[in-house]
Amino acid sequence: MAILKLARMGHPVLKRTADAINDPTAPEIRRLIADMVDTLADASGVGLAAPQVHVPKRLVIFHIPESRAREALDDDMEEGEDEEGEDEEDEEDEEDEEDDEENGNGDAVPMTVLINPEIEALSDETVIGVEGCLSLPDMIGRVPRFRHIRYKALTPDGSNIEREVSGLHARVVQHECDHLEGI
């Protein structure tokens, strides 16, 4: 397909709320998805929102390669260590580990396409993590995100997708969906 030009910080398309997609199966949407996948691969990114390629539509794509998933899981485990580097053991940590396994936290996520996504925070708990953005090259920052979310969307074939996720998966979805809101 084609590698699309990335919108950079300050571009008006990144500042506006994206428009809903009426027909997720339309040929132009399929073409946009294919071009976004090529663009994401070329940029070595994890996620991309349509506004980042100058298309003000409610569409995001993302994937979490196994290497990034393992990295994120290692980071989460480090946060659970005390000052001497020993693991703190309590019931809450065990519950968190069970939640992580259940929600796929630490697992790779294949390329996923979300059309007209909606996000719901499942608790008020937030986690601060380091994020980068293809529209802000060479910049990273510490960003608070909800730890556990549910997202719903349409897929390219028009079916519904709904998932409850946490960890890096939740962070990536929230980041990409912020682009749809002009954030």
Side-chain angles (χ1 to χ4, degrees):
M1 301 267 75
I3 294 173
L4 304 172
K5 183 177 179 181
L6 292 170
R8 303 291 185 196
M9 179 174 65
H11 194 284
V13 75
L14 296 174
K15 296 178 180 181
R16 66 169 287 217
T17 301
D19 301 324
I21 294 174
N22 295 325
D23 181 4
T25 65
E28 63 270 16
I29 298 302
R30 267 193 239 117
R31 193 169 28 261
L32 174 60
I33 292 166
D35 290 347
M36 286 176 64
V37 168
D38 288 347
T39 303
L40 184 61
D42 182 66
S44 300
V46 199
L48 187 64
Q52 290 181 277
V53 292
H54 303 271
V55 179
K57 296 288 184 187
R58 299 190 70 78
L59 185 149
V60 302
I61 66 169
F62 68 94
H63 70 114
I64 301 173
E66 193 168 323
S67 60
R68 293 291 298 269
R70 269 188 265 119
E71 217 173 82
L73 190 57
D74 289 346
D75 290 346
D76 288 347
M77 288 171 63
E78 286 175 18
E79 288 177 11
E81 294 179 352
D82 67 18
E83 291 176 14
E84 294 163 8
E86 295 175 16
D87 290 340
E88 296 174 3
E89 292 292 331
D90 64 23
E91 288 178 25
E92 190 173 307
D93 286 343
E94 289 174 17
E95 286 174 13
D96 286 347
E97 287 175 20
E98 288 171 14
D99 285 348
D100 289 346
E101 289 173 15
E102 184 177 303
N103 297 315
N105 189 30
D107 289 341
V109 178
M111 184 61 70
T112 303
V113 177
L114 304 177
I115 298 169
N116 300 330
E118 298 174 17
I119 296 176
E120 173 189 359
L122 296 177
S123 76
D124 290 334
E125 183 182 2
T126 60
V127 181
I128 295 176
V130 177
E131 294 182 19
C133 181
L134 296 175
S135 293
L136 301 167
D138 303 320
M139 295 179 74
I140 59 171
R142 294 174 52 82
V143 181
R145 297 282 181 197
F146 290 109
R147 182 179 188 281
H148 191 194
I149 65 167
R150 174 184 298 122
Y151 65 84
K152 298 186 268 192
L154 295 172
T155 63
D157 67 5
S159 62
N160 292 309
I161 183 172
E162 183 173 338
R163 293 182 180 154
E164 287 186 20
V165 298
S166 60
L168 183 59
H169 191 155
R171 177 169 295 281
V172 169
V173 171
Q174 290 173 84
H175 177 105
E176 297 311 327
C177 288
D178 273 359
H179 285 297
L180 304 181
E181 302 303 329
I183 299 170

